[in-house]
Amino acid sequence: MTTPNPTHAVPEALSPQCVTPSKYLHNKLPRFFHALGLRVAKNPITVMVLMLILTLSLMSGIAFTELDNDYENWYPHKSTAWKHYTFQKQAFGKFDRTEMYLVEEVESTNGVLTKAILEGALTLHNEIAEQDSYKKLCVKNAVDGPCSDSLSILALWNYDASVLSAQTQSQILQTVNDAINANKIILEAVLGAVERDSVSNEIVKGSALQVIMSLHNVDSKDDDIMAFEKDVFMTLCNEATAQYSSSFAIYCNSFRSYSDESDRAIAADQSLMMFAMLIMIAYVAFVLKRKDMVESKMLLGLLIVVNVGLSLGVAFGICGFLSIPFTQMSMMTIFIIMGVGIDDMFILTDAFDREPMTLPSSERVANALAEVGGSITLTSVTDFLAFSIGSTIDLPAVSFFCVTAALAVLSVFLIQVTFFAACLALDARRILSSRYDLLPCFVRKQLEWGQRESSDSNKTSSNKMKAVVDKIPLTPINVFANFIVRPAVSKVTVVLFFILGAAMSYQGFSHVEKGIKITDFLPAGSFVGTYFEKRDLYFGEIDSIEYITTATIDPSSADDRTKLSITFINVENLSFTVGAPNCWFTAWQAYDTSLSAGTSESDAKASFDSFMATDEAKTKYANNIVLDDDGKIVASKCNTLFLFSTMDVEKAVVEMREAREAAVSAGDDFAFAFNQNWLWMERYIKIDTLTINTLMGALVGVFVVCVLFLDLTSALLVCVCVVLINVNIIGLMSLWDVRLNVASLVILILSVGFSVDYSAHVAEGYLSARTKGLNAKQAVQVSVKEMGVSVLNGGISTLLAVVILSASKSEGFVVLFKMFLGMFKLNRELVIE
């Protein structure tokens, strides 16, 4: 039986009185990993076959995995908005879908208020409205009624081309001004960049008009709706755009356009991500390449693809068994696990190469695992913990991703210490038998060990990596290690980074903006992005606030009618709404002007029944009132238009709160206000608290795990590094125009895991060197020279991939590049100090 290498001798048992969790693990883990390494290295084929059987069995769960790209997964399901959304959908069904086009003048004295431009816009409207598919899908106020009018200035001519054609230019302007003065149209919603006569104050010009057509959103007609939006609306709109391009411009956007363009951006980014991963693999192969093609380990490096593939397969398979869906965000797991797998591979391969080649390959694998197994375990557990804490965020899409990533981290760890360790042993056997790298079927004449050790081609991986590091504009690692341990240098560096951390913390938390731009996840130059730019320029987002009653209302009750009056008086007084509320209650009041608090219950009941029997009620409000068998209202809805502040989240939040307060003015359980945008806006009410709580939770968890593996001082220093890195990233966000939102919060969670990886490996290397009798200064130097190079190579591979992602045409991946670049730079500078 062989004797373990003395430099990595397994620790003796510790006396009971000096046992701490970290000392216990430092005693037990090397023994465990040494024994595991021996078993794996002596039976590599058996281990690989067993691991393949196990992983393939777990991967079978992929058959049960469901693809889920539902946008509802991005909404917080424990929020007030989600509660209101669920009630509204159960009572009235899904929200209607809107199809929009915007007409902009090119060169015209009266802007879009000229006959030629209005006729062009009207022609397009009527071509769409006359389609049988539109008539089948449009919003109707009554079941068998006609389509509801579109929201457009064209309604002033009843969408009749002959009526418009009969008017002169002055009559057209007069029609518009008369309608505005009589409050027949909502100017802000239909006409943009209005110019008025300085004397009469009448409108003489409008630079843009928009037309909003609505489809009734019913699950049973999903396929028909999707086909109409793509094949009818967008086709006719694009044809009109080409036809009228010389006289005026048309910008189109169907309800499905955003998701279509977003999917197109994601598809392009996925291709870019695959290329980024190929760059990572190429870098690994370059680092492990040797001049001597027998000593080279490129084939071993390429096995990282197998490791990552198996790890992801296991994670996705377990998620399938647990009914956790696969989302588009789950694709990011591939990139993350590739980075984690490469880091661990460098750590393990370097440790193996540091073992004397005179030892049997099984002992070299066992000693390597004994040396770095604890470090890999620590970083895997902390990564797992960071993702687990991220899974508690009240956003299903983020939670699904974090669960998948957490499982993938554990999978890649188990596969690295078993399957990859077996590959390492087989590769060592290949070298012993003088088989060529990449072409193991070809054998070269075997050299004696003495010749092999004296050969220039027999450089250790550490030396080879040092040569790689020397090639980039960094101080050579050994010179840097000697330089950084100088007392004056280390003290000044620590103080400077604390000052930088404090400054960046202030900069970040006081100046970072919240929210997300609606165009962030669209490809550059997308027609949808252009439409939103024009819409925001001329109109802003015109939307409606739904006021939904949840209490049972008795129309014959004077108290219930009073509550309704209070509610809608407060709604009309809101400063940011436009036009009067569209409500069955106000229409009933207009229908029966004698209705008052003194009206008897029987007369009020008769009045309500009479109103509901009118054509107006049947055509406009039949779908807005839910009655029980006794004729009482169990749910009803009204709405009012408002201009939504898409770019000013703080203002939008204030408006949301004011609208909600108006809705509950008659009682907390009487009614509520709702707008679909509030589903995502609720995230930004508490985004600061959510960010701090999530990061602090991850940090506390990381500290607890570090205490189990490291001594208290080292654990604290690792956490200090993680804190400094993250506050610097938040500061960088404010300086680099990266907003604080769910996407950037997810990346901050990732940065906790990656920060721990870099810091903990160096800390573990330091403690390992201390156990060999080295003083603090020598231990730092050894850790930087050995672990620092491995960590640096892992970081460089990730950096190269991130630089590739910067070429993305969607803002989401550009943000990923910015934040990962900051993370790598800060990690490189901080962990070594």
Side-chain angles (χ1 to χ4, degrees):
M1 186 172 184
T2 57
T3 302
N5 180 10
T7 61
H8 301 298
V10 178
E12 297 296 329
L14 298 171
S15 59
Q17 62 270 24
C18 66
V19 172
T20 63
S22 61
K23 287 183 178 179
Y24 178 81
L25 288 176
H26 270 278
N27 179 52
K28 291 294 183 180
L29 284 179
R31 291 176 177 275
F32 169 78
F33 281 113
H34 189 275
L36 175 65
L38 278 178
R39 271 185 190 278
V40 169
K42 288 181 178 180
N43 305 281
I45 301 297
T46 302
V47 169
M48 293 174 70
V49 171
L50 290 175
M51 286 302 297
L52 284 174
I53 293 173
L54 176 61
T55 54
L56 291 174
S57 298
L58 293 173
M59 287 170 66
S60 63
I62 294 176
F64 305 101
T65 301
E66 295 183 2
L67 179 63
D68 189 346
N69 289 325
D70 194 340
Y71 275 69
E72 290 186 353
N73 287 331
W74 286 98
Y75 302 141
H77 285 195
K78 296 178 182 178
S79 64
T80 300
W82 181 259
K83 175 184 174 183
H84 292 166
Y85 172 69
T86 304
F87 181 92
Q88 190 274 346
K89 189 163 66 169
Q90 289 173 346
F92 304 104
K94 295 192 294 186
F95 279 87
D96 298 331
R97 297 168 72 98
T98 52
E99 320 302 322
M100 300 162 284
Y101 65 89
L102 185 151
V103 177
E104 179 188 38
E105 64 155 326
V106 177
E107 289 183 5
S108 175
T109 303
N110 298 106
V112 294
L113 297 178
T114 60
K115 184 181 295 188
I117 294 179
L118 290 171
E119 285 179 338
L122 181 58
T123 298
L124 174 57
H125 174 276
N126 290 344
E127 284 179 351
I128 297 170
E130 289 167 4
Q131 298 292 319
D132 290 338
S133 54
Y134 177 76
K135 295 176 181 178
K136 175 184 176 183
L137 300 170
C138 67
V139 170
K140 300 179 177 67
N141 292 316
V143 176
D144 297 322
C147 294
S148 301
D149 283 344
S150 305
L151 180 59
S152 167
I153 200 169
L154 301 174
L156 299 181
W157 297 276
N158 295 318
Y159 300 100
D160 189 331
S162 61
V163 175
L164 175 61
S165 178
Q167 290 193 338
T168 64
Q169 181 60 45
S170 61
Q171 289 175 325
I172 288 173
L173 292 176
Q174 190 62 49
T175 299
V176 172
N177 283 286
D178 289 347
I180 292 171
N181 294 332
N183 295 319
K184 291 183 179 180
I185 60 172
I186 301 172
L187 177 64
E188 297 89 342
V190 298
L191 199 61
V194 171
E195 294 182 14
R196 294 178 179 269
D197 183 86
S198 59
V199 177
S200 65
N201 198 38
E202 290 195 339
I203 292 175
V204 295
K205 181 178 180 180
S207 296
L209 66 85
Q210 68 175 350
V211 177
I212 302 177
M213 309 175 76
S214 298
L215 302 181
H216 189 41
N217 201 2
V218 183
D219 288 332
S220 61
K221 297 181 179 180
D222 274 352
D223 292 340
D224 292 338
I225 290 173
M226 298 293 280
F228 168 81
E229 289 176 339
K230 180 181 179 182
D231 300 332
V232 178
F233 179 81
M234 287 306 300
T235 297
L236 292 174
C237 214
N238 289 332
E239 289 175 355
T241 300
Q243 179 181 354
Y244 298 113
S245 60
S246 59
S247 53
F248 56 90
I250 300 178
Y251 305 95
C252 310
N253 181 54
S254 73
F255 192 89
R256 66 172 286 172
S257 296
Y258 187 91
S259 59
D260 285 348
E261 288 294 277
S262 177
D263 289 345
R264 184 166 70 87
I266 290 172
D269 288 338
Q270 287 173 354
S271 301
L272 197 64
M273 184 179 287
M274 295 303 296
F275 180 64
M277 289 189 289
L278 289 175
I279 293 296
M280 296 172 76
I281 295 168
Y283 179 79
V284 171
F286 169 72
V287 170
L288 296 179
K289 181 181 179 299
R290 306 289 184 271
K291 291 181 180 179
D292 188 322
M293 290 307 296
V294 170
E295 301 290 342
S296 181
K297 291 183 173 63
M298 293 175 66
L299 181 61
L300 185 67
L302 295 177
L303 283 171
I304 191 64
V305 179
V306 178
N307 289 3
V308 170
L310 293 176
S311 303
L312 291 170
V314 169
F316 294 147
I318 294 175
C319 286
F321 286 124
L322 297 176
S323 299
I324 296 174
F326 181 90
T327 66
Q328 289 177 333
M329 194 173 184
S330 300
M331 292 296 295
M332 192 184 294
T333 309
I334 302 173
F335 178 74
I336 293 166
I337 297 307
M338 178 70 79
V340 171
I342 287 176
D343 288 350
D344 290 347
M345 187 214 69
F346 276 129
I347 297 290
L348 186 54
T349 303
D350 285 0
F352 175 82
D353 283 351
R354 286 194 292 271
E355 294 298 314
M357 297 182 72
T358 52
L359 286 177
S361 60
S362 59
E363 280 296 339
R364 295 177 69 196
V365 172
N367 289 341
L369 273 179
E371 180 185 354
V372 301
S375 178
I376 293 175
T377 304
L378 168 60
T379 56
S380 298
V381 171
T382 51
D383 286 343
F384 173 80
L385 187 62
F387 285 121
S388 297
I389 292 173
S391 69
T392 63
I393 294 177
D394 182 25
L395 290 168
V398 175
S399 182
F400 297 153
F401 159 71
C402 287
V403 170
T404 305
L407 291 171
V409 166
L410 288 186
S411 301
V412 79
F413 164 73
L414 293 174
I415 289 172
Q416 289 281 39
V417 299
T418 53
F419 187 87
F420 183 75
C423 294
L424 198 61
L426 286 178
D427 192 67
R429 293 184 184 182
R430 175 191 64 77
I431 294 175
L432 283 174
S433 60
S434 292
R435 296 181 179 274
Y436 288 103
D437 187 26
L438 299 178
L439 298 170
C441 295
F442 295 91
V443 182
R444 188 182 68 186
K445 180 181 177 181
Q446 191 168 345
L447 299 175
E448 297 296 329
W449 279 113
Q451 294 175 282
R452 194 182 295 274
E453 287 184 321
S454 62
S455 172
D456 289 339
S457 64
N458 185 39
K459 293 181 180 179
T460 65
S461 178
S462 179
N463 289 334
K464 176 65 178 178
M465 289 180 189
K466 171 183 177 301
V468 173
V469 175
D470 287 342
K471 292 179 181 179
I472 61 178
L474 295 173
T475 307
I477 199 70
N478 57 341
V479 176
F480 179 76
N482 295 333
F483 173 77
I484 200 65
V485 296
R486 295 178 182 179
V489 174
S490 58
K491 291 177 182 178
V492 170
T493 303
V494 169
V495 170
L496 285 177
F497 271 103
F498 269 103
I499 294 174
L500 176 63
M504 294 295 277
S505 177
Y506 169 77
Q507 173 69 26
F509 286 103
S510 61
H511 293 89
V512 67
E513 295 185 21
K514 304 172 191 175
I516 192 168
K517 296 177 183 177
I518 197 169
T519 57
D520 278 356
F521 297 97
L522 295 173
S526 168
F527 71 90
V528 177
T530 304
Y531 167 81
F532 283 131
E533 289 174 4
K534 295 295 183 179
R535 185 202 67 182
D536 291 342
L537 173 64
Y538 292 113
F539 299 98
E541 182 174 353
I542 188 74
D543 211 333
S544 67
I545 299 175
E546 306 283 341
Y547 286 90
I548 300 175
T549 59
T550 56
T552 299
I553 299 172
D554 185 351
S556 65
S557 169
D559 288 341
D560 286 352
R561 294 198 303 274
T562 299
K563 289 180 179 179
L564 286 167
S565 295
I566 292 172
T567 299
F568 291 107
I569 288 172
N570 287 324
V571 168
E572 284 189 273
N573 290 334
L574 292 172
S575 61
F576 51 86
T577 58
V578 292
N582 175 31
C583 185
W584 63 269
F585 180 67
T586 53
W588 178 26
Q589 287 179 315
Y591 169 78
D592 187 353
T593 56
S594 65
L595 194 67
S596 66
T599 304
S600 67
E601 290 188 1
S602 58
D603 287 345
K605 180 70 167 63
S607 173
F608 178 74
D609 291 343
S610 175
F611 166 72
M612 291 300 294
T614 63
D615 290 338
E616 179 186 16
K618 289 179 180 179
T619 57
K620 288 187 176 182
Y621 305 114
N623 295 328
N624 295 349
I625 301 176
V626 180
L627 300 172
D628 63 12
D629 295 336
D630 297 328
K632 293 181 179 179
I633 301 171
V634 294
S636 70
K637 69 175 180 177
C638 303
N639 65 76
T640 182
L641 294 178
F642 79 117
L643 295 174
F644 178 63
S645 304
T646 56
M647 299 307 296
D648 189 343
V649 175
E650 299 291 343
K651 180 182 177 184
V653 167
V654 170
E655 292 174 351
M656 177 180 70
R657 287 173 173 160
E658 289 180 3
R660 284 179 172 176
E661 288 171 4
V664 300
S665 55
D668 291 341
D669 299 323
F670 185 75
F672 65 81
F674 179 76
N675 175 265
Q676 275 192 298
N677 289 297
W678 296 351
L679 284 165
W680 60 262
M681 273 175 52
E682 284 232 16
R683 299 194 300 250
Y684 302 114
I685 297 176
K686 299 181 179 178
I687 189 68
D688 292 335
T689 304
L690 180 62
T691 300
I692 293 173
N693 290 346
T694 303
L695 293 181
M696 287 301 295
L699 186 63
V700 170
V702 165
F703 174 72
V704 171
V705 174
C706 286
V707 168
L708 296 177
F709 286 83
L710 308 172
D711 61 26
L712 181 60
T713 302
S714 298
L716 285 171
L717 289 174
V718 167
C719 289
V720 167
C721 284
V722 173
V723 170
L724 286 174
I725 290 167
N726 279 275
V727 298
N728 276 275
I729 291 175
I730 294 173
L732 183 65
M733 288 168 57
S734 68
L735 296 173
W736 213 347
D737 192 29
V738 176
R739 297 184 172 216
L740 181 60
N741 50 48
V742 175
S744 54
L745 176 57
V746 170
I747 299 174
L748 285 172
I749 294 171
L750 299 183
S751 73
V752 172
F754 278 97
S755 302
V756 173
D757 283 4
Y758 291 110
S759 306
H761 282 312
V762 175
E764 270 282 351
Y766 168 82
L767 293 177
S768 177
R770 290 286 281 167
T771 61
K772 299 170 189 175
L774 299 179
N775 61 35
K777 180 178 178 180
Q778 293 170 331
V780 169
Q781 291 172 310
V782 169
S783 178
V784 171
K785 290 177 182 178
E786 294 183 351
M787 301 297 287
V789 175
S790 304
V791 166
L792 184 62
N793 274 296
I796 291 174
S797 65
T798 304
L799 175 64
L800 290 173
V802 167
V803 170
I804 297 298
L805 294 181
S806 68
S808 170
K809 293 184 178 180
S810 64
E811 185 67 19
F813 269 75
V814 174
V815 168
L816 180 67
F817 155 71
K818 291 177 179 179
M819 294 184 69
F820 263 66
L821 180 64
M823 187 194 314
F824 168 79
K825 184 178 185 297
L826 291 165
N827 272 320
R828 180 179 67 81
E829 293 172 345
L830 278 171
V831 299
I832 298 177
E833 290 145 12

